[in-house]
Structure formats: structure tokens, C-alpha cells
Amino acid sequence: NGAGQRVGNFIPFTDTFAIDESGRFDTGDNDNLYIVPTTTRTSATTYTISLWIKRGKISFASYLWKAVVGGSSNFYFASDDSFYWNDESSGAKLEPTRKIKNIDSWTNIIVVFDSTNATAGDRARMYLNGVRVTDFTTETMPDEDATDDMWMVGSSNTTYLCSPQNATGERWDGYIAEWVYLDGQALTASSFGETDTSTNRWIPKDVSGLTFGNAGFYLDFASANDLGNDISGNSQDFTMSSGMDATNGSNQMY
């Protein structure tokens, strides 16, 4: 009777927002963005990060981000495609059992640090394409009211996107879109995306109306020669590494 049959290029019905640009990062060119924070945070106990990624290589060890401080806060892919997010100062670490091995589709990653939460199991959370991750190889929660090292003001404290501390080796290879850091907010996946009613795929929402806090930022990669431009209103602009092209926009993709 034709139930469940679809013909042709099926267009999403829930088309409320479209991401137009992304940043392309090539490990061979040492592509990365970095910033030395100068703004005191709204909160050292609460933040949310959301970004969309598309891997360019699998079975490849690399950092998605690394905040370099007394400890560190980082998101790391291992060579076996396992990955983890951790914050050494608070002790929080989430390493899902699931692996991300696709190089032909986008994945929305959301991490939430919420150490003031009275429920211990909710103080560190991760969502992949709108679904909260509950199956972990490693799941370590921070102590109540523990502080994190994601964004620490200081002349030697640099936050890198797509690179480790020394900016050599283990650099991200792939694409990133809509990188959002909310200072002082602990939100769920529904603030960043929704399930398309016709395809059941996780699609993005407009995040421009969210509260970013004092040190929050929003990188939309819309400025071709200034991919680190922050449009949150906080002027938390990242610097493009010397390997990135700041003249003809070749690191920007549609």
C-alpha cells in the first residue's frame, strides 16, 4: 500500500533554521583557532558547549579542543575512534562506549558542566545528536561545587580549538560549525536542536537568542577570512593560526 515509501530527494519538513557555513581544519596545515581569555567568567561551576562536527579522518588521534591551565579541559579523539571529554581540575570525565566513525555526516556534540547540581549523576552530561549519552566506558562526576578549568583568565592560559597545547601533532582534521560556549548556563539538547518531523534527523536551532554569560562566545564561521569571529556580543574573538588562509577564505566551507 506504499506505507513507508519515499521517492526522490526528501526535503526536511521542519526547516526552521539552516547553518550556512563551517570551518575546515586540515591537520597537515596546522589549522587551529586559539584565544587567551581576558574576561572573568560568570560562573566557574556551570557551562554548556555545543558544536557540530564532521570528521575528515578516522582512526586518527586528535584534540577537538583543549583549554590549557593548571590542569586542563579537553575533548579528545583516540586512534581507535573512542573519545572523551574531561576536566582535570574538577575530576569530571565522560568517555562514551559509542564511537564516532562517520566522515560523511554531521554530529552535534553537547557537553554540560553543572557541579552545583544536587544530583551527582547530573553534574557532567553529554548529548550526541540530541540524545543524552548514558553508556560510558568511563563516567566520573565532579564533586559538588567543584570548579572547572575550561576558561581561566591569565597570560599563559590559552584555549585551543582543533589543537593541543603545543599546537603540533594530534590536531583535529575535519569541519566544525556553530561552536557555542554558554558561561553560567546548564542547558539540555533541546536548546540547540530538534528532531525533524519528516526524516527523524537531528537538525539545528537558532542559538543567537541564548544567554552567553560574561565569557561566553558563539563562532558561526560566517566571516570567511576571520573564522574566529565571536558574534555573541562578548568580543571573545579567536585568532586563526598561521596555517589558515586569512585572505581568500579557503578554510570556510558552505
Side-chain angles (χ1 to χ4, degrees):
N1 62 6
Q5 303 299 313
R6 293 174 176 174
V7 178
N9 185 19
F10 204 75
I11 304 300
F13 180 75
T14 311
D15 191 14
T16 57
F17 180 71
I19 297 175
D20 293 323
E21 293 92 13
S22 66
R24 178 177 60 84
F25 297 84
D26 186 341
T27 184
D29 292 337
N30 188 24
D31 294 343
N32 64 85
L33 302 174
Y34 62 92
I35 188 172
V36 178
T38 58
T39 301
T40 301
R41 294 178 296 178
T42 299
S43 172
T45 59
T46 309
Y47 68 78
T48 303
I49 294 174
S50 173
L51 71 167
W52 292 75
I53 68 166
K54 185 178 180 182
R55 300 189 69 186
K57 291 183 178 181
I58 60 173
S59 303
F60 177 73
S62 60
Y63 283 90
L64 192 54
W65 76 73
K66 187 173 180 69
V68 182
V69 285
S72 69
S73 176
N74 56 73
F75 199 105
Y76 181 74
F77 279 86
S79 59
D80 65 353
D81 298 309
S82 62
F83 59 93
Y84 64 78
W85 159 55
N86 82 326
D87 180 86
E88 294 178 3
S89 62
S90 69
K93 183 174 183 179
L94 298 180
E95 181 180 353
T97 303
R98 173 182 172 179
K99 299 181 179 183
I100 298 176
K101 303 187 72 169
N102 287 337
I103 60 173
D104 58 354
S105 62
W106 288 89
T107 300
N108 178 217
I109 297 174
I110 300 170
V111 295
V112 182
F113 184 86
D114 185 21
S115 67
T116 62
N117 199 307
T119 303
D122 287 340
R123 292 174 191 159
R125 308 190 292 274
M126 181 183 295
Y127 300 84
L128 296 177
N129 288 337
V131 178
R132 182 172 175 178
V133 180
T134 58
D135 190 5
F136 295 99
T137 301
T138 302
E139 183 182 18
T140 306
M141 293 292 156
D143 292 334
E144 189 169 9
D145 297 324
T147 58
D148 73 276
D149 272 348
M150 177 59 203
W151 192 262
M152 298 291 285
V153 173
S155 60
S156 62
N157 300 335
T158 306
T159 296
Y160 293 91
L161 176 61
C162 303
S163 178
Q165 177 178 357
N166 59 11
T168 59
E170 298 189 320
R171 297 182 296 267
W172 171 258
D173 192 280
Y175 307 87
I176 295 179
E178 295 284 294
W179 199 43
V180 179
Y181 170 61
L182 303 180
D183 174 21
Q185 294 283 308
L187 303 183
T188 62
S190 62
S191 295
F192 303 94
E194 59 188 326
T195 301
D196 179 75
T197 55
S198 60
T199 64
N200 289 323
R201 291 168 55 186
W202 185 248
I203 60 174
K205 282 184 176 179
D206 184 357
V207 298
S208 60
L210 296 177
T211 300
F212 293 91
N214 291 342
F217 52 82
Y218 173 16
L219 307 184
D220 66 349
F221 303 99
S223 179
N225 295 321
D226 185 14
L227 293 180
N229 182 48
D230 169 32
I231 65 168
S232 71
N234 287 336
S235 298
Q236 303 291 349
D237 297 330
F238 281 64
T239 300
M240 295 169 64
S241 66
S242 58
M244 302 187 75
D245 195 325
T247 58
N248 66 12
S250 62
N251 284 100
Q252 183 193 62
M253 302 296 289
Y254 291 101

